Amino acid sequence: MAKIAADPVMTGVQIPSALLHIGGALVVLLNVTIPAIYKPRGMTRYGQKKRRHADVQQTT
């Protein structure tokens, strides 16, 4: 195993695999981070309905 790890020819084979995994991880992290930061403004339909229902109960 030490000879394989020390062989300079084999290190070149591992670099594309490492870059592929790094690129994949970056894509996954961006797909999670961007929607967490950029959210639509305002209240959802569910929140609006819930607020209207709460307002109706308070006035009666």
Side-chain angles (χ1 to χ4, degrees):
M1 292 300 269
K3 285 182 182 181
I4 293 172
D7 187 13
V9 175
M10 290 301 291
T11 57
V13 172
Q14 294 174 356
I15 290 174
S17 176
L19 291 176
L20 180 68
H21 285 94
I22 290 170
L26 184 62
V27 168
V28 169
L29 288 174
L30 287 174
N31 281 335
V32 172
T33 304
I34 290 172
I37 294 172
Y38 297 106
K39 298 179 182 176
R41 291 187 165 217
M43 199 177 302
T44 62
R45 286 186 210 133
Y46 174 76
Q48 291 171 353
K49 181 179 172 183
K50 196 169 183 181
R51 179 175 278 178
R52 275 195 309 263
H53 185 67
D55 289 343
V56 168
Q57 285 185 346
Q58 287 179 355
T59 58
T60 58

